[in-house]
Amino acid sequence: MSNNSAPNGSVNANANPSNEDQVVTPWDVQGAKTADGKLEAINYDRLIEQFGTRRIDADLIARFERLTGARAHPFLRRGLFFSHRDLSSILDRFEKGKPFYLYTGRGPSSDNMHTGHMIPFLFCKYLQDVFQAPLVIQLTDDEKFLFKPELKLEDAHRYAIQNAKDIISFGFDPKRTFMFSNLDYMGGGFYYNVVKIAKCITLSQARSAFGFVNEDNIGKIHFASIQAAPSFSNTFPHMFGTKGDVPCLIPCAIDQDPYFRVTRDVAVRLKYPKPALIHAQFFPALQGSGTKMSASKAETAIYITDTPAQIKNKINRHAFSGGGATAELHAQHGGNPDVDVAFQWLKFFLEDDEELETIEKTYRVGTLSTSNLKKRCIEVVSQIVTEIQERRKTVTDELVKEFMDPTVPKLVQLKAPVGGVVADDKGKK
């Protein structure tokens, strides 16, 4: 989106000595620029303060583990999902045996998803398993058509169906998951809520929250009500009935928070439960953590269709390194894993906490080389992508219909809360 103003989703430039401050909106993510033009990493502490969210702390994670009986996901243990709105309230409901559901989505801008797109789906799969929770997945083919001038409507819808097959490959339970294309599902309870929401949001509010300008088409402005509607349970009467009294939990990247701040305000006016949110850090592009990976920028991304050879080539050639300029300097002074993309990716994808800690320590002191760090990253990413590719081969048109048929009832009963954490296969909490 072209925008020269500073919408609420971005951080005040006057709060930072850099020449240009970081920008975080639903359409643009970029770290602050230093005086010499280099991009800094996204400052998540400042986003918590700016957006008014709450940090996920050790006590909240401990409560999560106690109630679910499951070890916290690496994304939680490592602070990659770091911020929330009302996660405590969702755990309160779970503890009392009251229902909630999960809501996530995908904007199908191409028929190729990349490794950054994996993050919310990997986490939603985990949450669905530990809560036995119902899940709705919105495919915003309409949004991509409205926001991308060159994209044809037919292509946006085709991408949605192809992306649906990729998403199914993450292993979601078809009996508890409803996935829908906006273009196909619009109507009934969904459109009732879209209209109600739209009536609550003024043009002034939309400009303030999202930074719209006069040149933006009215579809972009209206889309806020479409993304908000799945936050309310009676958008899905075949799952939750028509009362609209079941709240949702939305795992998403922090750049999507402006949409749901507006949604939470609207919920009060419509007498619906406010959606709860849990925010992820951005999955860094190959070029560094000052921006997020983009499917439309091939040089920043590894696609889930890439071969092991392509993954190896991209990481070796393009992944930003925090290592020394030469092998000798690296051995002498060590590397900086905080800016090294290979290490940052391992924080997302390497299961073993002890191995990750060892990698970080040895890289900092220089005994682990950049090439060997990249080698381990290549191994881990290649394995995950290959497993998804193998599952993708088994996804049939019939299975897609099972996930996307709005006439098929879904299981919505959560499991009962439990106490105590189940040990993993290494016997560690």
Side-chain angles (χ1 to χ4, degrees):
M1 180 180 67
S2 175
N3 179 19
N4 295 321
S5 63
N8 287 351
S10 63
V11 179
N12 185 348
N14 294 328
N16 186 308
S18 304
N19 281 4
E20 294 182 31
D21 194 47
Q22 66 182 15
V23 175
V24 176
T25 76
W27 309 282
D28 188 16
V29 174
Q30 183 172 278
K33 283 187 178 180
T34 61
D36 58 0
K38 293 181 179 179
L39 283 180
E40 296 180 339
I42 300 296
N43 186 326
Y44 293 102
D45 289 333
R46 293 183 58 225
L47 285 179
I48 287 175
E49 181 180 354
Q50 171 74 15
F51 287 179
T53 64
R54 302 192 67 172
R55 182 171 293 281
I56 297 173
D57 59 21
D59 289 343
L60 189 58
I61 293 174
R63 186 183 182 211
F64 178 98
E65 290 186 326
R66 185 175 68 253
L67 290 175
T68 62
R71 192 182 186 207
H73 193 280
F75 293 168
L76 284 173
R77 300 198 305 267
R78 298 169 188 170
L80 300 171
F81 273 83
F82 69 103
S83 164
H84 75 98
R85 294 185 188 274
D86 290 341
L87 177 58
S88 299
S89 298
I90 292 294
L91 294 180
D92 289 345
R93 290 186 65 88
F94 180 63
E95 189 170 23
K96 296 173 183 176
K98 295 182 178 180
F100 70 89
Y101 66 101
L102 303 170
Y103 162 33
T104 192
R106 159 79 181 127
S109 57
S110 73
D111 56 3
N112 264 341
M113 290 174 60
H114 59 60
T115 46
H117 295 138
M118 293 165 50
I119 306 308
F121 296 115
L122 289 170
F123 194 55
C124 278
K125 172 66 168 65
Y126 165 81
L127 292 175
Q128 183 174 68
D129 289 345
V130 300
F131 288 113
Q132 294 182 10
L135 165 67
V136 297
I137 303 174
Q138 181 183 45
L139 301 173
T140 59
D141 37 14
D142 52 347
E143 174 208 16
K144 290 305 175 184
F145 172 70
L146 292 168
F147 279 81
K148 289 186 170 291
E150 75 286 356
L151 185 62
K152 296 180 180 179
L153 189 61
E154 296 77 13
D155 287 337
H157 184 260
R158 177 171 58 84
Y159 294 158
I161 302 305
Q162 291 302 312
N163 285 184
K165 295 179 179 180
D166 294 331
I167 293 167
I168 290 169
S169 303
F170 287 86
F172 294 109
D173 182 354
K175 293 182 175 60
R176 298 180 184 275
T177 307
F178 176 55
M179 182 160 36
F180 60 99
S181 148
N182 281 347
L183 291 173
D184 290 338
Y185 185 58
M186 185 66 68
F190 186 12
Y191 192 59
Y192 268 63
N193 272 335
V194 167
V195 173
K196 290 179 181 178
I197 295 163
K199 193 172 182 178
C200 292
I201 303 172
T202 66
L203 179 59
S204 176
Q205 289 172 319
R207 284 180 180 271
S208 175
F210 307 114
F212 292 123
V213 295
N214 290 338
E215 290 73 24
D216 287 316
N217 65 64
I218 60 173
K220 292 182 181 182
I221 301 166
H222 180 61
F223 179 75
S225 58
I226 298 173
Q227 182 157 321
S231 304
F232 306 135
S233 60
N234 55 1
T235 294
F236 311 101
H238 68 293
M239 297 178 68
F240 305 109
T242 59
K243 288 181 65 176
D245 57 349
V246 181
C248 71
L249 173 62
I250 306 172
C252 62
I254 187 70
D255 61 334
Q256 295 301 302
D257 188 73
Y259 270 118
F260 298 110
R261 291 203 301 271
V262 173
T263 303
R264 286 164 59 85
D265 290 342
V266 169
V268 174
R269 296 180 62 183
L270 296 180
K271 296 181 171 55
Y272 288 147
K274 290 183 180 182
L277 289 95
I278 181 168
H279 302 115
Q281 295 184 10
F282 303 115
F283 188 78
L286 284 165
Q287 284 71 19
S289 55
T291 185
K292 67 176 182 176
M293 188 175 285
S294 171
S296 59
K297 299 177 181 177
E299 71 278 5
T300 72
I302 286 178
Y303 299 100
I304 62 174
T305 54
D306 282 350
T307 66
Q310 289 173 315
I311 293 171
K312 179 179 179 180
N313 179 61
K314 287 182 177 182
I315 291 177
N316 277 334
R317 289 186 61 190
H318 300 299
F320 183 83
S321 171
T326 67
E328 292 77 13
L329 288 173
H330 182 80
Q332 182 179 358
H333 301 291
N336 183 0
D338 298 331
V339 300
D340 192 290
V341 166
F343 179 78
Q344 295 303 314
W345 285 18
L346 286 175
K347 282 182 68 176
F348 279 92
F349 294 137
L350 182 62
E351 288 283 343
D352 192 316
D353 289 342
E354 291 182 1
E355 182 184 357
L356 185 69
E357 184 179 357
T358 298
I359 289 172
E360 181 176 9
K361 288 180 178 178
T362 54
Y363 193 63
R364 284 193 189 277
V365 300
T367 54
L368 178 67
S369 67
T370 295
S371 60
N372 282 330
L373 175 57
K374 286 188 174 183
K375 179 181 178 182
R376 186 64 178 123
C377 179
I378 290 165
E379 292 170 350
V380 171
V381 173
S382 295
Q383 180 179 347
I384 293 173
V385 170
T386 299
E387 290 172 355
I388 291 172
Q389 291 171 354
E390 289 302 311
R391 291 194 295 267
R392 176 69 164 75
K393 294 176 183 177
T394 69
V395 177
T396 63
D397 291 340
E398 289 72 23
L399 184 57
V400 174
K401 290 178 182 178
E402 184 178 357
F403 275 90
M404 301 186 75
D405 188 344
T407 67
V408 176
K410 301 291 182 179
L411 298 177
V412 298
Q413 180 64 48
L414 304 173
K415 77 174 187 181
V418 296
V421 177
V422 178
D424 63 16
D425 57 2
K426 295 185 178 181
K428 296 178 293 187
K429 177 181 172 183

